[in-house]
Amino acid sequence: MKNLCLALLRAETEAEAEALLNADPLMRESANWRPLDGRETNFNVTSNQASDGGKALTELMTNMVDAVLLKHAYLKDIDPKSPQAPQTMYQAVDRLIRNLRGGKLVNADPRDPWLREFAQKNLVIGISGAKSKTEGLPCYTFVDNGEGQHPDAFPDTFLSLSAGNKKSIPFVQGKFNMGSSGVLRYCGRRWFKLIVSRRFDGTGPWGWTLMRRRPGDRDTMPVAEYFVLPDGSIPQFEMDYLYPLGLVDGHRYEGVHLTSGTVIKLFDYQVGSRFLSFKGSRDALNENLVETILPFRILDLRQKADAKRGGDRALGVDARPFYGMEFLLLNAHGEEGGEEESEAAGSAPIFVGRFTDPGLGEVRIGAIGLKRDLPGWLKPQNSNNRVFHAVNGQVQFKQSRGYLSQSCGFPALKDRVVVVVDASGLSFSAHNEVWKGDREHISSTLDGERYLDLVTRTIRESDALKDFQRRVAQEELERAAKNEGNSLFQKLLDRDPTLAGLLSSRDPTIRVPGGGFGADDEELYDGLYSPTRLTLDDRSRRTVDIPMRRGRAVIAHTDVENGYLRRADNGGSILMDAKVRESFSVREHLKDGRLSVHFVPAEGLSPGDMIEVRLGLVDRAMPEPVFAEPTMLRVTADREDVEDEDKPNGQRKPRKADGGDNGSGSGPTHGMPRFVLLTRDGRSVEGIETEAWPADFNEHDGGEIVDLGEGETLYKINYDNAYHLRYRLTQRGSLAREVVTEKYILGMRILLLGYEHAMRSLKHIGGSAIGEFSDDFRRMAARGAASTVLALAENLPKIVDTSSIGSEEAE
């Protein structure tokens, strides 16, 4: 059976694997196949997991990390279930593998050779077989140098759906019963999945089995089953070194071998047609792993050998590091001999906030600011997701650009930030209540809805994100055209003053409130590594009324740096009495020395209850904590006439116009939103810089409206619109053509202004349900406006005047 196992490892298509199966008399015998988990009804578990192949692959990667951490615990004589064992995955990395200052890969130097060496020896993914859809589907081989399993342990580990072997181990992800059977339905038509494993201590042989979909069940409920010998045992063999990966030329790949550990091979794996390329395969994983906990290496074994490039490329192997979304965004991510190294797509991490809740546990929220040029996998045409809820790095739930824009009130950040909600600190019971079984949705339970509400409020309240949105808005406005031809609109307004009702009180040349993008416009806050003081704001020193539903913040001032509460190495903590944590949901924000701690009463409190709170700050570098003076929290009933403090940032009361002349003076009182021109290739037009079309634009698009938050908008008008260019071609002389263009631009600005005014009015009266689709509606409005604006401007004055109306009446 050894040769059969090795032949299956060399097979690169489902058809090859099936031919090997049919040629072996034992594998042909249906009596030698057992249902997975001993259940004839296992389909209800295997099918109720990941909705796409990319998400399902991350389950395997998580199990690989678990296996490596467990092996290293055993090697250090640590019982994984004992109180002496690490209590989180991050602690396990620091104690068992390498001190990464909080167990976070993102803290490692990307040039550190340890990352590559550790991954090559311990955690490898090989992609082989087809490169394009016309050729078929690729195979994925997962290789880990972890704890491995004895052959007789297969039924209770690899082949079990409900054993819960890791339930009592605090530092692994598998304790949440997140298995790897979800990949089966993406393994071609036959569900072929090969498993080969040997215990890390070498006390037994290699064991192996092949999983498949039971033949002939197309008209019945599918059944996943696995191969055994006639006596019911798992096949096994002896071998000192196992080389699980092969090259295009048929030789084995010498760069990866095992003396123990586990190999899992998936045949004809359907990760999605967009992800068949090597880059696409990595993109499919990026969205589903915020961090990999330990470094991985991904090998594309389908390349042509290139002797000139040397190394693995001379063998036809393209090798890449893979450390997860967070590492990718914050670091340049390339390697010699491969694709060119590109700059990091993200800026420094942003601490958004943190909350604790008596029934849920602790949740930390951070963000990564993005540069204007998004990486391909995050471009809107490829991904609409911007908020990622993760447990130990593995994404459990995603929320869209629309959620960030509308529900949280950050429209300018929907393509300029990735928000990571780290839910690893949820209690065990909360994990079971919040997440659905597919690890992609939130359960509509009381805890699930409370979790979502607290996340939304914490994001919405973030001063750090508000500040970043102001800076992004200023950056966008500074890119807009400075000479916008407002004199033409002024003449139009002089003739029709009713148009002023569409305008805001903002002058298009004023700066965005909150400062510019650099140190020239605002003084940067420079806090201390550890705090030396903590004092309550004047309003928080007296008794603070805490409404039952909305809650309220206690404000304090300190001198510590902004990243104090989120840094992985010696992170700071907010101290308060345990009774307070048990009685309130607590949301925490720290920005520029302002500490905001928002309290919302939990179940069990009633109006009139009073609880004393004394806030403190502490980290391991401090000889003792710093404390603020005590204050009292008094629970009160909600008042219906009090404006909700938690409205999204975009839903603020309109500001009154500056000046007191009500438009009668000579100075400007209103302004139009700025605009920029879009062209197919980003070329300049008459000396004016333009932006290139977004990837999904074409000649029929009119442009788009960019919501920058706080009532600020930017119009992007498509200069290369087919209708505009067609009208220009009908004109004789350059002056006439420029007149057409001026009419087109001015007309587009007025029509889009009217649309945006109507949109704001709809939101004001409660039409927020369209918020998720606002950008689609805006783009549709711009397309419609572009197709008609010149027809109206050019032809209406010619065919509709007093003489034409008079002649119709005469008839």
Side-chain angles (χ1 to χ4, degrees), residues 329 345-347 368-375 378 386 413-418 468 472:
L329 292 177
S347 57
I368 299 172
L370 302 174
K371 299 174 182 176
R372 292 187 87 254
D373 188 14
L374 293 175
L378 273 177
R386 291 295 180 269
L413 300 185
K414 62 179 181 291
D415 289 323
R416 293 299 300 273
V417 78
V418 161
F468 186 51
V472 167

Side-chain angles (χ1 to χ4, degrees), residues 14-30:
E14 181 181 79
E16 290 179 35
E18 187 168 27
L20 291 169
L21 185 156
N22 291 333
D24 186 86
L26 291 179
M27 298 197 84
R28 286 200 307 268
E29 179 56 55
S30 61

Side-chain angles (χ1 to χ4, degrees), residues 730-741:
T730 63
Q731 305 302 306
R732 295 182 178 179
S734 60
L735 180 60
R737 287 192 287 270
E738 289 309 311
V739 168
V740 166
T741 294

Side-chain angles (χ1 to χ4, degrees), residues 89 100 118 152 192 286 306 328 353 366 503 576 614 621 696 721:
M89 274 189 140
L100 294 179
F118 183 90
D152 57 6
F192 286 152
N286 278 327
D306 187 349
L328 176 67
L503 304 179
M576 66 184 72
R614 188 183 186 197
D696 55 344
N721 173 268

Side-chain angles (χ1 to χ4, degrees), residues 695-724:
D696 55 344
F697 253 51
N698 60 46
E699 67 273 13
H700 299 297
D701 279 294
E704 58 183 358
I705 302 172
V706 180
D707 189 342
L708 298 176
E710 299 188 349
E712 195 78 71
T713 53
L714 176 67
Y715 295 164
K716 296 187 176 183
I717 299 173
N718 184 10
Y719 180 90
D720 285 342
N721 173 268
Y723 294 96
H724 167 235

